[in-house]
Amino acid sequence: MSTSPYLSNTNTPIVLIGHSMGGLVLKKAYMLARQSPSFETLTERFRALYFLATPHRGSDSARLLNNVLQISYSSPAYVADLERGSGTIQSINDEFRNYSAEIELWSFYETQKLRIGVLSKLIVDPDSATLGYRGEKQIPINADHRSICKFETPSDANYLVLRNAFASTVQYISKQVLKTNDRIRLCQIEDLEKYLEPSEKLEDDLVTVEDARMSGTCKWFCEKEDYERWSAFAPGTPNIFWATGRPAAGKSVLAGYVIGQLQKTKADCSYFFFKHGHKSKSRLSACLRSLAFQMACTFTTVRENLFQMQEDGIKLINENERVLWRRLFLNGIFRTRFPRHFWIIDAIDECHNFVSLFDPMLAKLDESTPLRILLLSRETSELKKYFSNLGINRAHHEKISVADTFPDIKLLVEEKAKSVYQRNEEDRVQLVKKILDKSEGSFLWTTLVLSELSNAHSEEEISQALEDVPRDMGPLYQRTLESMTFTTVGKKLTKAGQFSKLEESILALCGNLVTIDKFGKLQMVHETAREFLLRDDLDSDFAIDKTEAHTRITRACLAYLTGEEMRPPRTSRRGPSMNDASKRNEFSVYACAAFSYHLARADPLANDVLMLIGKFLKSNVLSWIEVIARTQNLTPLIRAAKNLRTYLEACIAESLPLGMSMSTIRGWTIDFIRIVARFADPLVASPSAIYSVILPFCPSESTIRKTATPSRKLSVMGFSNFQWDDRVSCIDFHEGQTSAVCYADDLFAVGLTTGIIAIYQATSYQEHNSLDHGEAVRLLQFKGKGGLLASGGMKMIRIWDAWSGRNIHNFGAPQRVVDLAFGKSILLAASSRNCLISWDLDDGVRQPDRPWDDSDEHVNKQVRRPPCAISIAINHQMLAVAYNGRPIILWDLEQDAYFGHCGKKLINGETSTHRITALVFNPNPEISLLVASYLDGELVLLDPFNDQQLKCFRADCHVLAASPDGRLLAGGAGGGTIQVYEFDTLRLLYQVKSSDFYIKQLAFSTDSFHLSDIRGADCNVWEPAILLRNSVGDDSSESTLVSSVGIVATETRVKVSAIILHPDGEAAFCDKNDGAVSIYDLKTGVEVRTLYRHKSLVRILTWWPQSEAILSVDASNGIFKWHLQKSQKEGWVAESIVFKSRLDCGKSIAQILLGVGSDKLILSTRISDHLWTINGQQLDERIYSAKSGFRKWIQHQQSSLHLICIEIEVAQIYSWKDWSKVASIPLAAGGMGLQLKNVFPYGSGPQWRIMLEPSELDGSPNTRGLQLFDGSVLGVEYLLTNEAVSEKNKLDDQAKRLSIADQSTNVAKASAPAQFHGPQLSTLARRISHIVGLDDANRLLFLDIHSWVCTVDLKSLDDGSISYLRHFFLPYDWFAGTRDLVCAVARRDVLFARNNGIAIIKNGLEFAEKVNIELNDPQPPDSSI
């Protein structure tokens, strides 16, 4: 079913129908599918199981059934298992109960006896044909066993019973699908909200303006002829309608009215209200994101298009509005079909970068797009110029005149004047007339006048109010300030911010300047009031000095952040923060998010601010990090690092003394970024981890370690990092040289000269799987988020699904492919034959070749010489090609035409024709830049489309790579040095020198936070702080210069490859890849001494307790056994070598098993097993086929005379005495594409269990499922003891205690053992990356997929629930790039290999957070903590 083209490529629900024994087959197949992660997608589609006369409990007529089946089909081999009470059937039933809750069950049973010859009998009685489960539907059929599934005509009564049942199931499934679709839609909208990140609470703006509108107003606008034609999409009308009015003319209220009218008429519309000074609502990028999100919520086609963009890996993290416009609309939404739609955008004059709205967006909007855009604003000269450039065919300008708004103002005045004191109605009419004559179309002025009149109680006061309130806003605001100046209370209110009945006081004293909206937020009464207060020439006590204002706000924020509410918990225990966020001051959200923004703009000479920031960074900074982490967005930490750096530079510029506060600030500018880089996952999953779990893993000389006090309990011993390390991992490929590297969103690929492509997780750099290209890999290229990978060699180009490892297409490679690039649905390959070859990714068909020319002089004449460098820029639809002796040529991919040439400029003004080693376009479609590296060492920044040289200097970079966001350029220089530049300026930001090996290629991760290089047999992954620091755009117009950093990375070639512990916990023995076998102190993690050495790297280490000896195996299968001696003075030392030998079998030794109470041992390789004596003599060997799976040998838990060989599907018991096979027990633990990774026996007696840990066959070593079996079927049924029996008889008796007799010539076979907790373990296994082992309490220790060390009590699974404990986080760089996790468990401590030593996590298991999982929930359980 999983490979059927009719079933595997759809999401259609599936109903399974089985007759007789076929029902049992379906049950077993369904359970196996549910247990295997590889069939998860398929099993989710199973909705119902129909059983027709299925013998769930066997049959008393099994022999008769055998005859029936023999007549009908053929004699099945398993009919013997159909006897009533059969162990096989019982096992299936017991296990099926755990998987039946989520599927509809129908059981139909026969009611007529089947005649065969003279016999007549019910083959399967009703009791056996039904399951007896809750919710099961049991229906009799008037038929015998054979005819229950056969019908004469469509009117057959039995057929009608089944048909009606099917109809009921279809109806039930249809309802479930509808509910599912609704849930999917909601989930999709939630996912899109995270993807697009639209402005928060957009509907609040609409509610505010709707509440401000008086009933009956604004109708005039929709009655205008030009608006009616525009809104009706009348032919010849422009798409854009620009309505302008004077300040405070009610434009925002008018926008709200138009939105409401469109919604009443069922017209689809999206809207946005710009607000000057608001962090997000003043940005055009926020507007575009919001409009796209609203359209996605409205139209399915738009929603699907945006989801496809997300799956294709199109990032929207860049705030560049031109990029957003191109990606979201031009290349996305506008290419879909959607009905007529309206955009209502208010106050575009308050958008700080509205210029970008015109030329790339409105000016190029296709007139056929079913979109009408209403824009409202003040009429400024700049806006008028841009709208004029659009032309009357694209935009209509409607001026809101005084006459237009007069009826609305009149309605407002007439209504409000009713509450103003007047002697009679005639005076009231005259008052209304006076107000209207002075209003001049200003709603704000009218509202302010009416407010003052409401407090007037005589004719004189009314007349004075009318005379005093000026018509121009400036004098009005000046008058308000003057009145506040003469009011002592007003000064106290505005200066101190503390006042009883604050809202009433604000409105009474500052009402003409500020207002409080319905959501309780303080707002400026109008944008003109803000502009007035910020004027440089304003002469008032209340004039705002920007620097002083930022300083005051900084003080307020830091006063809160250093206060009692933000104090960290007194203990470092894990769990929820001691300070409940819901009980914090309402100001806390702003203070936590914005303090660094104001600090960067504060007065550097304000000593109290310097003292406050120093106090905060030394006291409450960890609780601030926790608060930020609870928002699930750590960007504020990166932004805080940038702003702290800006403030620090301002202080240095003022020549302030560099005291402790300044040193602390400098340290946190580094640590904030490093914390995000190294600990983002654990912080988001468990924000309180910052207090206890994260600190011990930070370098000892880091500011966070010096500032905060690490946990008294949790500590890391033997971990010697003093400073942050920029290198995350160095992956050493022993089997071949590296040749290519590339990134996808979640994956990372390295190609080797051996043809192997190693696929890693892009976050943890743990191996995911491996592919075999079949020849040396020269090129690798990922396509978007879906995991589509192209690999190129000399002969073949292959397309892979990197997630599953499936080979999708194979193309013959053209002559020397130089570059690969993915288009939307094609693969492009640039050949040294000067042509582009492309293939359709849907059907694999090769498209016509597209040759390019190298100048206007060679039109239609293909170039003969091979290129020396090529850069394909899909985003620019441009190809740059460099030849020796010619300038760089540019080829237009859209027109398939020569575009022009460019290159480095010589002194005489001519373009250089020197040889070029590397070319790279900026990937950002809005940054039209090209960088070329010349053989003479010069690095050149070019504007290729205008043939201009922008920058040129000597850098000696022979390879180049651009970050996907277009910010950075990386170059590989001589001597193994990596240099990182700012792309658009080529300003050096960072450089690091590692080994002297030649750098072959560089690649940035898709989020631009990591940089990888390949050299020799190594792949290095770097994480410089500069990559994260520059990822967050500055909120100000100023840019902070970042000094270049030079680092020399130390090489740690020697690494620990295995750890074993002394049984008494006295020491740890480790072997290393330089051949050394060393002993470490378990208290300090310090290496005590090297015991002895091999000539090659050591792979396996085993402790022999009977003789206090160590057995070690190296890469050449050299086997050493050394006897150790413990002295009181020196501890453990290597006393003498017992034997030195070698196993010559062509394959590496994978396992050693020492006999308990035996003088023998097993050496196991992939293709053979060998029985040796303890003195190194081989007694026997067994050879297996090359295709045989992995095996694991374990000591029998109840008999020292026996051992067990476990494979993925069978367990076999052998005798230590003569290595004869005693028994073979099927395990039914197989799964397609799986192999046995490890075996964990635990418990004793009736509670003896065996856990199998599978992994992918020849793929990733990560755990792929768990199976737990009852070990009692392999054990002793009874014990007989007799003290009088001789020692020899005791041994004989012990051999007889096995439940199956020990006969080498007649191997006994048993039924499969019971399997426990199948659904629970299947769900749990999805969270497991590696199993560490079992502790003393038989708890399973494992590393989860988020790099947390966790434990689960296997006994807790008995109640059907699933939960485990999460203890501490292991930094990704500790095991990145390693295939196996080298670790051990010592009582309360956990040991891990760390470079050339070990790290001991002391008391790591004492900290615990409980994680609950829903059964069969495929998602990580972070939200359930």
Side-chain angles (χ1 to χ4, degrees):
M1 293 176 71
S2 64
T3 59
S4 168
Y6 304 102
L7 292 176
S8 60
N9 297 324
T10 69
N11 291 319
T12 310
I14 298 174
V15 176
L16 301 174
I17 307 169
H19 170 238
S20 189
M21 193 172 177
L24 298 179
V25 174
L26 286 181
K27 284 167 64 177
K28 187 64 176 178
Y30 173 68
M31 290 187 294
L32 291 175
R34 286 286 300 274
Q35 293 166 5
S36 174
S38 58
F39 297 124
E40 185 175 331
T41 303
L42 180 65
T43 56
E44 288 175 351
R45 295 165 56 193
F46 293 147
R47 302 301 177 89
L49 267 171
Y50 274 62
F51 298 111
L52 278 66
T54 296
H56 297 293
R57 295 176 178 80
S59 172
D60 294 329
S61 304
R63 295 181 180 275
L64 190 58
L65 178 57
N66 180 47
N67 295 332
V68 173
L69 294 173
Q70 190 171 11
I71 295 171
S72 304
Y73 312 103
S74 60
S75 182
Y78 299 103
V79 168
D81 290 329
L82 294 177
E83 295 283 355
R84 187 176 293 275
S86 163
T88 301
I89 288 183
Q90 186 61 41
S91 175
I92 293 175
N93 286 339
D94 291 343
E95 193 176 358
F96 182 69
R97 186 180 300 275
N98 296 322
Y99 298 95
S100 62
E102 298 179 5
I103 194 166
E104 196 177 45
L105 299 176
W106 293 75
S107 296
F108 299 85
Y109 55 89
E110 61 204 68
T111 58
Q112 294 186 5
K113 297 179 179 180
L114 177 67
R115 290 186 60 84
I116 298 181
V118 296
L119 296 176
S120 175
K121 193 170 185 179
L122 279 178
I123 303 300
V124 180
D125 59 49
D127 179 60
S128 182
T130 56
L131 290 161
Y133 293 173
R134 179 181 299 178
E136 176 194 17
K137 298 171 181 64
Q138 304 174 0
I139 300 176
I141 296 289
N142 188 26
D144 59 29
H145 189 79
R146 185 183 296 165
S147 62
I148 195 171
C149 58
K150 299 178 181 179
F151 314 103
E152 297 292 337
T153 64
S155 59
D156 188 318
N158 290 337
Y159 170 77
L160 293 177
V161 171
L162 273 174
R163 186 203 64 180
N164 293 341
F166 290 151
S168 174
T169 294
V170 170
Q171 184 179 19
Y172 168 77
I173 292 174
S174 299
K175 290 180 180 178
Q176 293 299 110
V177 168
L178 287 175
K179 291 180 181 178
T180 301
N181 290 340
D182 289 340
R183 287 196 298 268
I184 290 174
R185 180 180 177 276
L186 291 175
C187 291
Q188 287 178 340
I189 290 175
E190 288 178 3
D191 290 342
L192 280 179
E193 190 169 10
K194 294 177 182 177
Y195 179 56
L196 295 171
E197 296 181 342
S199 296
E200 298 178 0
K201 298 182 179 179
L202 186 68
E203 62 278 1
D204 287 357
D205 296 327
L206 181 60
V207 171
T208 300
V209 296
E210 285 179 336
D211 287 350
R213 189 181 71 86
M214 177 173 286
S215 178
T217 59
C218 300
K219 292 182 179 179
W220 54 270
F221 185 79
C222 294
E223 293 171 355
K224 284 181 173 285
E225 182 181 354
D226 289 331
Y227 174 82
E228 288 179 341
R229 286 175 49 77
W230 172 84
S231 61
F233 284 75
T237 55
N239 288 43
I240 302 165
F241 196 103
W242 181 36
T244 61
R246 298 171 61 184
K251 298 180 293 296
S252 296
V253 175
L254 182 61
Y257 174 76
V258 172
I259 294 167
Q261 290 302 111
L262 290 173
Q263 291 175 343
K264 284 181 180 179
T265 59
K266 304 299 183 182
D268 297 314
C269 72
S270 304
Y271 56 87
F272 191 83
F273 293 83
F274 280 108
K275 290 187 182 296
H276 178 80
H278 193 285
K279 193 170 184 179
S280 61
K281 293 179 183 178
S282 63
R283 296 181 179 274
L284 182 57
S285 59
C287 174
L288 297 177
R289 290 172 182 271
S290 180
L291 294 173
F293 177 69
Q294 292 176 75
M295 292 185 72
C297 293
T298 305
F299 303 120
T300 303
T301 54
V302 173
R303 190 161 59 249
E304 291 174 349
N305 180 272
L306 293 178
F307 261 110
Q308 187 61 49
M309 288 172 54
Q310 190 176 11
E311 290 180 0
D312 290 343
I314 298 176
K315 293 284 189 180
L316 300 178
I317 57 175
N318 199 313
E319 288 295 314
N320 186 293
E321 41 288 316
R322 299 188 179 208
V323 175
L324 288 173
W325 175 258
R326 178 190 292 268
R327 292 180 178 177
L328 282 176
F329 295 101
L330 294 184
N331 297 334
I333 294 174
F334 291 164
R335 293 190 178 185
T336 66
R337 290 188 177 183
F338 58 88
R340 292 178 175 180
H341 194 71
F342 292 88
W343 284 357
I344 313 300
I345 304 175
D346 178 54
I348 60 170
D349 53 315
E350 297 185 28
C351 172
H352 86 281
N353 53 344
F354 65 80
V355 175
S356 299
L357 178 65
F358 288 90
D359 181 46
M361 301 182 194
L362 300 183
K364 297 179 181 179
L365 183 64
D366 191 336
E367 295 181 2
S368 63
T369 303
L371 179 67
R372 291 291 156 115
I373 306 174
L374 172 62
L375 302 165
L376 298 99
S377 72
R378 289 177 287 179
E379 185 179 350
T380 65
S381 58
E382 194 172 10
L383 278 171
K384 191 173 182 179
K385 179 185 71 173
Y386 282 108
F387 273 106
S388 297
N389 292 338
L390 291 178
I392 59 175
N393 293 327
R394 284 191 172 274
H396 170 74
H397 183 193
E398 184 74 29
K399 293 185 178 181
I400 302 173
S401 65
V402 174
D404 289 330
T405 58
F406 183 81
D408 293 348
I409 294 177
K410 182 180 180 182
L411 192 63
L412 172 66
V413 173
E414 289 176 342
E415 180 65 28
K416 298 296 183 181
K418 294 177 182 179
S419 61
V420 178
Y421 167 77
Q422 289 293 292
R423 289 184 301 176
N424 52 52
E425 195 60 32
E426 184 178 343
D427 289 346
R428 197 178 308 280
V429 171
Q430 290 300 316
L431 176 63
V432 169
K433 185 176 183 305
K434 286 181 182 180
I435 297 173
L436 291 176
D437 289 343
K438 289 191 173 188
S439 67
E440 297 184 359
S442 173
F443 274 95
L444 177 60
W445 182 90
T446 305
T447 303
L448 294 174
V449 167
L450 291 171
S451 176
E452 293 217 5
L453 289 177
S454 65
N455 296 319
H457 303 288
S458 66
E459 292 183 10
E460 291 76 13
E461 290 178 347
I462 292 173
S463 299
Q464 187 66 39
L466 286 173
E467 293 299 324
D468 287 347
V469 178
R471 285 190 292 269
D472 183 36
M473 292 293 103
L476 172 62
Y477 299 144
Q478 183 69 47
R479 174 179 172 273
T480 302
L481 293 181
E482 290 173 356
S483 67
M484 293 171 61
T485 301
F486 292 109
T487 304
T488 305
V489 175
K491 286 185 179 180
K492 289 182 179 179
L493 174 67
T494 55
K495 296 290 184 181
Q498 298 291 333
F499 215 77
S500 60
K501 297 184 179 179
L502 185 61
E503 291 190 15
E504 293 84 346
S505 302
I506 287 174
L507 294 177
L509 299 170
C510 318
N512 289 352
L513 294 175
V514 297
T515 185
I516 297 174
D517 63 20
K518 66 176 294 182
F519 303 104
K521 295 180 180 177
L522 191 68
Q523 305 280 3
M524 297 303 297
V525 72
H526 194 263
E527 180 54 32
T528 54
R530 185 193 306 273
E531 294 171 356
F532 177 80
L533 292 173
L534 291 174
R535 278 168 41 182
D536 294 332
D537 60 347
L538 180 61
D539 183 16
S540 170
D541 289 346
F542 300 100
I544 296 177
D545 178 270
K546 292 182 181 178
T547 301
E548 176 58 27
H550 282 299
T551 304
R552 289 179 62 189
I553 298 174
T554 301
R555 287 192 188 102
C557 291
L558 290 175
Y560 172 77
L561 293 177
T562 56
E564 193 65 30
E565 278 192 7
M566 288 296 293
R567 190 175 298 279
R570 299 193 179 201
T571 63
S572 58
R573 67 175 182 84
R574 297 277 299 283
S577 175
M578 301 294 286
N579 296 320
D580 189 352
S582 63
K583 298 179 181 178
R584 288 199 181 106
N585 191 306
E586 292 181 1
F587 178 62
S588 65
V589 175
Y590 184 84
C592 290
F595 88 91
S596 70
Y597 169 83
H598 296 292
L599 177 67
R601 293 152 182 82
D603 184 0
L605 296 176
N607 290 328
D608 61 329
V609 171
L610 181 60
M611 292 176 63
L612 280 171
I613 189 65
K615 179 181 178 182
F616 164 65
L617 294 177
K618 292 178 181 178
S619 59
N620 295 356
V621 65
L622 295 188
S623 56
W624 173 74
I625 293 174
E626 180 195 11
V627 170
I628 296 300
R630 290 191 183 281
T631 68
Q632 307 289 293
N633 178 16
L634 299 182
T635 303
L637 269 71
I638 303 174
R639 187 171 286 116
K642 292 188 68 174
N643 289 330
L644 282 174
R645 182 179 291 270
T646 301
Y647 176 72
L648 183 65
E649 290 172 352
C651 292
I652 294 173
E654 296 293 340
S655 300
L656 294 179
L658 299 179
M660 287 297 294
S661 294
M662 303 286 272
S663 300
T664 302
I665 294 172
R666 178 181 284 109
W668 280 108
T669 63
I670 298 171
D671 284 11
F672 281 149
I673 293 175
R674 294 297 191 177
I675 289 168
V676 174
R678 295 293 169 90
F679 305 111
D681 281 352
L683 266 179
V684 171
S686 179
S688 60
I690 189 65
Y691 300 114
S692 56
V693 178
I694 289 176
L695 285 179
F697 293 96
C698 296
S700 58
E701 295 301 312
S702 62
T703 301
I704 186 173
R705 281 288 293 271
K706 291 180 178 179
T707 302
T709 304
S711 165
R712 295 179 180 178
K713 294 183 179 180
L714 179 68
S715 60
V716 181
M717 309 301 296
F719 177 47
S720 59
N721 277 23
F722 296 101
Q723 297 293 345
W724 297 102
D725 187 1
D726 282 353
R727 180 160 52 189
V728 175
S729 176
C730 177
I731 308 173
D732 187 2
F733 297 94
H734 303 288
E735 61 271 24
Q737 297 286 298
T738 56
S739 54
V741 60
C742 69
Y743 277 91
D745 273 8
D746 301 309
L747 296 175
F748 163 67
V750 181
L752 306 179
T753 54
T754 59
I756 296 299
I757 305 168
I759 310 293
Y760 293 86
Q761 299 284 349
T763 302
S764 64
Y765 292 93
Q766 283 288 282
E767 185 174 349
H768 177 72
N769 60 24
S770 62
L771 314 173
D772 190 355
H773 182 79
E775 58 175 327
V777 179
R778 299 182 62 249
L779 297 166
L780 289 174
Q781 186 66 49
F782 272 111
K783 181 183 188 296
K785 189 176 182 180
L788 207 62
L789 173 68
S791 60
M794 292 294 291
K795 299 178 181 179
M796 296 296 297
I797 295 175
R798 305 185 192 276
I799 306 294
W800 309 84
D801 180 342
W803 284 107
S804 65
R806 183 168 60 94
N807 184 205
I808 300 173
H809 295 298
N810 296 303
F811 309 128
Q815 180 179 341
R816 195 173 177 271
V817 177
V818 184
D819 198 7
L820 294 174
F822 280 104
K824 187 170 185 180
S825 59
I826 62 170
L827 173 70
L828 288 173
S831 168
S832 61
R833 293 174 50 207
N834 302 294
C835 66
L836 283 172
I837 296 90
S838 59
W839 294 269
D840 189 298
L841 294 176
D842 295 326
D843 54 21
V845 175
R846 179 168 172 170
Q847 308 298 305
D849 292 356
R850 300 156 61 186
W852 62 75
D853 308 323
D854 67 343
S855 74
D856 287 325
E857 301 171 2
H858 296 275
V859 177
N860 298 324
K861 293 183 181 180
Q862 189 174 354
V863 193
R864 297 293 182 185
R865 73 190 79 185
C868 55
I870 284 178
S871 177
I872 303 175
I874 296 296
N875 288 339
H876 296 281
Q877 284 297 294
M878 194 64 62
L879 172 72
V881 188
Y883 296 93
N884 191 22
R886 295 196 64 83
I888 302 168
I889 73 163
L890 301 174
W891 186 260
D892 191 322
L893 295 178
E894 281 188 328
Q895 303 296 326
D896 257 348
Y898 173 79
F899 182 88
H901 67 269
C902 64
K904 179 177 68 172
K905 302 307 174 187
L906 303 177
I907 297 176
N908 59 8
E910 294 183 357
T911 302
S912 171
T913 60
H914 294 166
R915 187 177 181 86
I916 291 173
T917 60
L919 284 171
V920 61
F921 270 105
N922 191 299
N924 190 327
E926 300 302 322
I927 304 177
S928 302
L929 296 176
L930 174 71
V931 172
S933 178
Y934 284 78
L935 186 61
D936 61 5
E938 291 197 316
L939 190 66
V940 184
L941 178 66
L942 302 168
D943 177 352
F945 304 118
N946 296 309
D947 190 19
Q948 293 181 355
Q949 174 182 303
L950 305 178
K951 190 86 179 244
C952 179
F953 62 92
R954 189 175 186 85
D956 295 317
C957 294
H958 53 268
V959 293
L960 299 173
S963 63
D965 57 13
R967 294 182 298 109
L968 303 171
L969 172 77
T977 300
I978 299 174
Q979 298 170 342
V980 178
Y981 302 89
E982 203 170 50
F983 198 108
D984 54 358
T985 64
L986 291 191
R987 180 168 61 94
L988 182 63
L989 302 175
Y990 173 84
Q991 62 183 17
V992 61
K993 177 178 174 59
S994 183
S995 65
D996 293 332
F997 283 106
Y998 176 86
I999 298 174
K1000 304 173 188 176
Q1001 189 182 345
L1002 295 163
F1004 280 93
S1005 61
T1006 56
D1007 59 10
S1008 303
F1009 293 167
H1010 293 90
L1011 174 66
S1012 295
D1013 74 76
I1014 53 173
R1015 58 182 95 188
D1018 294 344
C1019 175
N1020 294 296
V1021 182
W1022 305 92
E1023 190 179 58
I1026 189 69
L1027 299 188
L1028 276 81
R1029 184 180 297 121
N1030 280 9
S1031 67
V1032 179
D1034 201 345
D1035 293 322
S1036 67
S1037 59
E1038 304 104 3
S1039 61
T1040 302
L1041 293 178
V1042 180
S1043 303
S1044 62
V1045 179
I1047 295 176
V1048 177
T1050 58
E1051 294 294 313
T1052 308
R1053 309 298 294 183
V1054 179
K1055 294 184 179 180
V1056 170
S1057 51
I1059 302 174
I1060 61 168
L1061 302 179
H1062 188 276
D1064 295 332
E1066 298 179 5
F1069 303 101
C1070 303
D1071 54 27
K1072 303 182 181 181
N1073 56 7
D1074 67 345
V1077 176
S1078 303
I1079 183 171
Y1080 284 78
D1081 188 329
L1082 276 179
K1083 294 181 180 179
T1084 63
V1086 174
E1087 182 176 2
V1088 178
R1089 67 175 59 86
T1090 297
L1091 297 174
Y1092 60 91
R1093 285 184 177 274
H1094 287 250
K1095 292 183 178 179
S1096 59
L1097 68 91
V1098 182
R1099 300 177 61 252
I1100 300 175
L1101 203 61
T1102 302
W1103 175 260
W1104 201 310
Q1106 292 92 328
S1107 57
E1108 293 190 332
I1110 280 186
L1111 200 68
S1112 54
V1113 179
D1114 61 33
S1116 65
N1117 280 2
I1119 306 168
F1120 289 7
K1121 182 181 178 182
W1122 277 80
H1123 176 70
L1124 302 187
Q1125 180 69 39
K1126 183 180 180 182
S1127 66
Q1128 190 171 2
K1129 181 179 180 181
E1130 297 183 352
W1132 290 101
V1133 295
E1135 183 185 42
S1136 61
I1137 186 167
V1138 179
F1139 71 80
K1140 181 189 297 185
S1141 185
R1142 184 180 308 278
L1143 177 66
D1144 295 319
C1145 65
K1147 290 290 183 180
S1148 298
I1149 297 174
Q1151 184 193 4
I1152 295 180
L1153 176 67
L1154 307 178
V1156 177
S1158 171
D1159 58 353
K1160 301 181 182 69
L1161 60 96
I1162 296 287
L1163 300 175
S1164 180
T1165 76
R1166 180 69 182 268
I1167 62 170
S1168 61
D1169 290 324
H1170 305 264
L1171 181 66
W1172 280 30
T1173 67
I1174 58 173
N1175 296 319
Q1177 301 298 316
Q1178 179 164 301
L1179 300 176
D1180 198 355
E1181 68 175 354
R1182 286 190 170 91
I1183 308 298
Y1184 305 91
S1185 68
K1187 295 182 179 179
S1188 62
F1190 281 101
R1191 304 170 305 286
K1192 290 290 181 180
W1193 290 87
I1194 62 173
Q1195 175 64 46
H1196 198 288
Q1197 298 294 293
Q1198 297 178 339
S1199 171
S1200 61
L1201 301 181
H1202 295 82
L1203 67 162
I1204 306 173
C1205 178
I1206 298 181
E1207 299 180 59
I1208 192 70
E1209 294 182 341
V1210 65
Q1212 300 178 95
I1213 302 176
Y1214 290 83
S1215 169
W1216 273 114
K1217 181 179 179 181
D1218 55 5
W1219 210 18
S1220 58
K1221 185 187 296 185
V1222 176
S1224 180
I1225 298 93
L1227 294 179
M1232 291 183 62
L1234 297 179
Q1235 65 187 14
L1236 188 62
K1237 177 183 177 182
N1238 218 331
V1239 178
F1240 299 95
Y1242 71 94
S1244 60
Q1247 299 299 317
W1248 182 29
R1249 304 284 186 265
I1250 299 177
M1251 175 171 284
L1252 305 190
E1253 179 191 12
S1255 62
E1256 291 181 5
L1257 182 63
D1258 297 325
S1260 167
N1262 289 357
T1263 301
R1264 291 291 183 267
L1266 292 173
Q1267 284 93 34
L1268 184 63
F1269 292 98
D1270 180 4
S1272 61
V1273 73
L1274 308 175
V1276 177
E1277 287 186 338
Y1278 57 90
L1279 292 173
L1280 296 176
T1281 57
N1282 189 342
E1283 295 181 359
V1285 180
S1286 68
E1287 185 66 22
K1288 181 177 182 301
N1289 289 337
K1290 285 184 179 180
L1291 294 177
D1292 291 339
D1293 286 345
Q1294 191 175 20
K1296 294 177 181 178
R1297 290 171 194 161
L1298 287 171
S1299 59
I1300 303 165
D1302 186 351
Q1303 300 178 33
S1304 59
T1305 58
N1306 184 20
V1307 176
K1309 294 183 179 180
S1311 59
Q1315 190 172 167
F1316 298 107
H1317 315 308
Q1320 293 95 322
L1321 289 175
S1322 178
T1323 301
L1324 180 65
R1326 300 189 189 108
R1327 272 73 178 175
I1328 296 177
S1329 176
H1330 294 280
I1331 290 182
V1332 176
L1334 294 166
D1335 66 4
D1336 295 338
N1338 281 333
R1339 293 185 302 174
L1340 185 71
L1341 271 75
F1342 63 90
L1343 186 74
D1344 76 359
I1345 57 176
H1346 297 297
S1347 195
W1348 285 84
V1349 173
C1350 310
T1351 59
V1352 59
D1353 184 353
L1354 297 176
K1355 294 180 181 178
S1356 69
L1357 301 179
D1358 292 338
D1359 59 7
S1361 62
I1362 315 174
S1363 64
Y1364 61 87
L1365 298 179
R1366 192 160 59 182
H1367 299 284
F1368 60 89
F1369 176 82
L1370 202 62
Y1372 289 133
D1373 59 314
W1374 280 34
F1375 57 91
T1378 60
R1379 182 172 178 84
D1380 297 308
L1381 192 65
V1382 180
C1383 53
V1385 183
R1387 296 188 178 93
R1388 296 179 300 175
D1389 306 333
V1390 187
L1391 286 70
F1392 292 95
R1394 177 70 175 133
N1395 294 329
N1396 62 340
I1398 62 172
I1400 304 176
I1401 317 301
K1402 289 284 186 180
N1403 303 312
L1405 302 182
E1406 291 193 6
F1407 297 87
E1409 277 185 335
K1410 188 176 182 180
V1411 179
N1412 297 312
I1413 320 173
E1414 294 293 332
L1415 191 63
N1416 297 314
D1417 176 16
Q1419 298 301 322
D1422 293 344
S1423 59
S1424 64
I1425 298 170

